[in-house]
Amino acid sequence: MSNSGGAEADACCATPPLLREPLTELAATEMATKLKALADPVRLRLFSAIASHSGGEACVCDISGGIDVSQPTVSHHLKVLRAAGLLTSERRASWVYYAVVPEALREIAALLYLDTAVLTGVTA
């Protein structure tokens, strides 16, 4: 094993990790649940519709339009997103409003974040 040194070795060692430390078993299980919930195209579209709605919350009547599945199927997908910890829900009169859990978004972003300079080798 050789130590080539130089700028190339310095750049390698300066690369920040995706996370500050490896995920614990519990954290990995919880993150996998969130990612599995988002892996379904219908759920991803519903989540996106809620997240992009004003205030990050929306009534089910506001988000189900344009999604070609039945209302019971929409309800099932929203239940999966809630169970994964990605959404909260609140009944207001006869409608249910869904909101994105900001901490869940931060956790996913932190897991997936990688400085593009690291990928391209470009530094400022």
Side-chain angles (χ1 to χ4, degrees):
M1 184 166 157
S2 68
N3 183 1
S4 61
E8 189 174 311
D10 291 342
C12 173
C13 296
T15 303
L18 287 176
L19 300 170
R20 297 207 186 279
E21 59 190 50
L23 291 172
T24 64
E25 184 177 348
L26 177 61
T29 300
E30 290 174 358
M31 184 59 66
T33 299
K34 289 175 177 60
L35 294 173
K36 285 178 187 179
L38 290 173
D40 180 88
V42 172
R43 287 194 290 268
L44 186 57
R45 288 184 65 203
L46 290 168
F47 184 80
S48 173
I50 295 165
S52 63
H53 206 267
S54 177
E57 105 173 337
C59 175
V60 70
C61 62
D62 295 329
I63 59 171
S64 55
I67 297 179
D68 195 22
V69 295
S70 68
Q71 182 56 46
T73 301
V74 168
S75 294
H76 166 75
H77 286 303
L78 291 169
K79 179 181 176 183
V80 170
L81 291 167
R82 279 192 348 259
L86 295 166
L87 297 178
T88 60
S89 63
E90 178 183 341
R91 181 169 292 281
R92 298 181 196 159
S94 61
W95 294 105
V96 177
Y97 284 78
Y98 293 88
V100 170
V101 176
E103 183 58 29
L105 281 180
R106 282 191 286 276
E107 290 170 358
I108 292 169
L111 177 71
L112 300 177
Y113 176 76
L114 181 62
D115 187 349
T116 55
V118 173
L119 291 176
T120 62
V122 176
T123 58

